[in-house]
Amino acid sequence: MLLDKRIQKKRIVSKSYYKEVRKMSRWNEAKEMYGKIGVDAEKAIEIVRQVPISMHCWQGDDVGGFDSKEALSGGIQTTGNYPGKARTPEELMADIDLVCSLTPGKKKLNLHASYAIFEEGEFADRDALAPKHYAKWVAFAKERGMGIDFNPTFFSHPMVKDNLTLSSPDETVRKFWVEHGKRCLEISEYFANETGVPCVMNIWIPDGYKDIPADRLGPRARFKQSLDEILSIPYDKSKVFVCLESKVFGIGVESYTVGSAEFALNYVTQKGIMPLMDNGHYHPTELVSDKLSSLLVFHPHVALHITRGVRWDSDHVVLLDDETKEIAKDIVRNDALSRVFIATDYFDASINRISAWVTGLRSVQKALLLALLEPTAHMKQLQDESRFTELMVAMEDQKTMPFGDVWQEYLRREGVEEDYITKVLAYEESVLKNR
Ligand code: RNT
Ligand code: ZN
């Protein structure tokens, strides 16, 4: 039916026309096949295009930012020196535009405080940042209909002393960073007011010790006090969703991390803020896909940083791998698409940065679409009736379903071409190589 209508619309019979007809018939067959297992593929496409993915701005310039010339610190690292890194806000914005044109679905912009944009000759330190330093980002986001998420930047700055910020025993250092947190809350509320979209503000600190500490409690108690102080300023909780990201270790802080998983979960629960899980922040055999449901039992909202750790929190580009698929499944199966804030978080400087961005964002979208194409209710029923043999077979059968045809139809409807490497390489030639 749909196929007939589209054929009628076409006047010119060309090679590309036949290609399109073949694609359409593949989509129709795929839709029918999914229908047979009780899945509405039309509905899956409709849903996935509405799920906002918060796109991390820091993939474009190796987490450099614009407010200081300090090298990246905080136990995180970008490796590689592929040409074309964005050096100015204008370059970063142009790159983000290209990425958006090559990825389907709804996006939010995820900014770090270090991406403040100052006027000529102007400067504000982290404890003095204000909404006006982000006015250009607001204009950029508004023109594109995007909301903005935000992150205070507790790293790459001379006031990080001995790898410590909010947990420092030095009151000058601790207070400086508390002030930064407060400024960021105000900026987050400004983003929400301007864009009309709630802002997720994520707190992550790199604090920790390289070697065995003598006092494990002190730093954590000071971190708690600092967070309490930051959150003591009034802010609109319906507009700003504050979350706390934990971590197991970082480079140079291998022995002890102040913001551990236990600290973060206890703090967010007591304070009624949101937990954030980054899937690179656990021991390699621990899986965020398995942790998510526990959080959903106790928290109205949960935030995620989707990344790909290779042996450690290496922040490789997100691929359509098992864990990404499994995380997406757990969001969809638990009917939690509106409760989970999904963001990407990785930084690869060894390959074309635009391609890295697009590959990661498309992978998250693919994983979500795949999850939406599962016969969820049927599978849950098999589990509850202890029909595990059938459940295993049903799960295996889905792996050979024509997912690619549904993905292509989704791209077509979003006006995005399947091939992105051609455009990325052309941009590399004409723009990136001249940087
Ligand atoms: C670091 C955390 C954190 C950062 C960003 C840049 O391990 O994952 O989220 O990656 O804030
Ligand atoms: Zn993260």
Side-chain angles (χ1 to χ4, degrees), residues 361-375:
L361 288 166
R362 283 192 181 209
S363 298
V364 175
Q365 294 258 331
K366 282 179 187 164
L368 287 168
L369 183 59
L370 254 178
L372 286 159
L373 289 167
E374 281 193 335

Side-chain angles (χ1 to χ4, degrees), residues 112-372:
H112 242 286
S114 53
Y115 289 77
I117 305 176
F118 301 127
E119 295 299 331
E120 193 65 34
E122 186 192 24
F123 175 71
D125 210 346
R126 298 265 169 93
D127 61 343
L129 289 167
K132 66 171 180 182
H133 302 126
Y134 302 87
K136 289 198 176 132
W137 282 116
V138 164
F140 177 84
K142 274 169 132 176
E143 271 168 32
R144 288 149 186 83
M146 296 199 277
I148 305 179
D149 290 333
F150 200 48
N151 305 261
T153 312
F154 296 100
F155 51 83
S156 308
H157 190 280
M159 278 301 268
V160 180
K161 303 276 191 207
D162 302 320
N163 298 322
L164 302 173
T165 63
L166 291 178
S167 74
S168 174
D170 179 339
E171 273 300 280
T172 320
V173 170
R174 199 184 66 79
K175 288 280 183 205
F176 175 87
W177 290 110
V178 166
E179 207 46 45
H180 176 56
K182 290 179 177 173
R183 298 286 73 78
C184 287
L185 264 182
E186 282 171 11
I187 295 160
S188 298
E189 196 163 309
Y190 157 72
F191 286 150
N193 285 333
E194 287 290 324
T195 61
V197 183
C199 171
V200 172
M201 187 187 105
N202 176 47
I203 298 176
W204 171 73
I205 59 162
D207 297 33
Y209 290 106
K210 182 179 175 70
D211 228 318
I212 307 159
D215 176 12
R216 289 188 171 89
L217 185 75
R220 290 187 172 133
R222 287 191 292 271
F223 185 26
K224 178 185 181 299
Q225 188 195 335
S226 301
L227 290 171
D228 287 348
E229 285 171 23
I230 292 171
L231 298 175
S232 71
I233 67 163
Y235 68 95
D236 188 335
K237 295 192 175 61
S238 68
K239 291 180 183 165
V240 180
F241 290 75
V242 178
C243 53
L244 186 60
E245 176 179 15
S246 70
K247 191 163 175 173
V248 64
F249 82 95
I251 293 183
V253 287
E254 288 87 355
S255 299
Y256 169 84
T257 305
V258 181
S260 62
E262 294 73 20
F263 178 95
L265 277 186
N266 278 295
Y267 188 83
V268 299
T269 307
Q270 190 189 59
K271 206 75 185 173
I273 60 167
M274 181 166 60
L276 184 144
M277 285 191 164
D278 177 311
N279 59 303
H281 289 195
Y282 300 87
H283 287 286
T285 56
E286 286 184 74
L287 297 172
V288 164
S289 55
D290 182 61
K291 297 176 187 296
L292 190 55
S293 46
S294 296
L295 298 189
L296 289 170
V297 172
F298 295 99
H299 296 272
H301 296 284
V302 175
L304 292 179
H305 271 182
I306 304 201
T307 186
R308 179 167 58 102
V310 177
R311 302 191 191 281
W312 68 289
D313 183 32
S314 60
D315 285 299
H316 278 65
V317 176
V318 173
L319 302 176
L320 186 62
D321 58 10
D322 284 351
E323 178 57 357
T324 309
K325 286 190 236 174
E326 211 57 30
I327 290 173
K329 283 179 197 170
D330 242 65
I331 301 172
V332 170
R333 288 174 185 172
N334 299 325
D335 197 17
L337 279 169
S338 59
R339 295 173 59 199
V340 179
F341 292 100
I342 305 171
T344 44
D345 178 19
Y346 54 83
F347 19 94
D348 193 337
S350 73
I351 56 174
N352 181 299
R353 292 172 186 78
I354 314 281
S355 181
W357 241 327
V358 178
T359 302
L361 288 166
R362 283 192 181 209
S363 298
V364 175
Q365 294 258 331
K366 282 179 187 164
L368 287 168
L369 183 59
L370 254 178
L372 286 159

Side-chain angles (χ1 to χ4, degrees), residues 59-126:
Q59 163 55 41
D61 73 336
D62 313 339
V63 210
F66 305 124
D67 77 334
S68 98
K69 296 263 172 286
E70 286 269 320
L72 179 61
S73 71
I76 51 178
Q77 221 166 47
T78 48
T79 51
N81 57 354
Y82 201 84
K85 149 175 149 178
R87 298 160 302 177
T88 62
E90 293 71 32
E91 288 180 356
L92 189 61
M93 286 175 185
D95 292 356
I96 291 173
D97 270 339
L98 178 60
V99 172
C100 288
S101 74
L102 299 175
T103 41
K106 206 169 159 177
K107 264 148 256 128
K108 255 180 126 178
L109 183 62
N110 203 0
L111 292 179
H112 242 286
S114 53
Y115 289 77
I117 305 176
F118 301 127
E119 295 299 331
E120 193 65 34
E122 186 192 24
F123 175 71
D125 210 346
R126 298 265 169 93

